[in-house]
Amino acid sequence: MLYICNVRNNDMNNKTIFSDIDGTLVHQVLFENIDPFTSVALPGVVEKMTEWFKEGHHIVLTTARPEVLRSITIQEMDLLGIPFHQLVMGIGRAERILINNKSGNKNGTDKRATAVEVEKNGGFNGYF
């Protein structure tokens, strides 16, 4: 089983990475058709997520999947080898907006938030 916890290294260089699941990490299917044993990780996903996890970045998976699918989702990520620290379920399917401040250095110029939109069911290759 993957190491899943809410404790993180407070290294200032470690990022918090938020990632949607369906159509972003795995091939999207209807919720009622989710089967952790037939789920398919998209190209480059396992490698990049594992790299980020090993580098100490905090990985938060987000999904519109209902809470009733939590154990199936955890099993699916485990079987696919996609590591994470937290799983936030039941979020809306509409646009997701990340809001963060610019502080970090005294000029406030450190980049503190980034958004990357990948093609649905396309994977990570060519993005990172």
Side-chain angles (χ1 to χ4, degrees):
M1 176 140 199
L2 297 172
Y3 177 69
I4 302 170
C5 76
N6 290 325
V7 178
R8 69 175 286 210
N9 181 344
N10 285 323
D11 183 332
M12 292 298 288
N13 294 317
N14 288 346
K15 300 171 182 168
T16 300
I17 298 167
F18 295 90
S19 179
D20 182 45
I21 295 175
D22 297 300
T24 305
L25 300 181
V26 301
H27 191 272
Q28 187 162 358
V29 298
L30 297 174
F31 291 165
E32 57 268 21
N33 295 333
I34 292 173
D35 180 347
F37 297 100
T38 60
S39 182
V40 177
L42 296 171
V45 165
V46 173
E47 297 81 5
K48 185 49 89 173
M49 296 296 281
T50 300
E51 177 185 323
W52 286 331
F53 189 86
K54 286 180 178 178
E55 288 174 350
H57 302 301
H58 189 76
I59 299 173
V60 180
L61 301 185
T62 62
T63 182
R65 294 179 184 189
E67 187 64 38
V68 69
L69 295 176
R70 178 173 290 276
S71 62
I72 288 172
T73 301
I74 291 171
Q75 181 182 32
E76 176 186 25
M77 296 301 107
D78 186 42
L79 289 169
L80 292 172
I82 298 174
F84 64 96
H85 296 93
Q86 290 177 272
L87 176 59
V88 179
M89 305 203 57
I91 67 171
R93 291 182 175 183
E95 180 182 15
R96 283 100 189 246
I97 299 170
L98 171 63
I99 301 172
N100 204 50
N101 65 58
K102 288 185 173 185
S103 68
N105 64 19
K106 58 167 130 167
N107 297 328
T109 57
D110 284 352
K111 187 147 183 116
R112 298 288 302 271
T114 300
V116 178
E117 287 184 296
V118 298
E119 292 298 321
K120 182 177 180 179
N121 294 326
F124 284 1
N125 291 341
Y127 288 95
F128 305 102

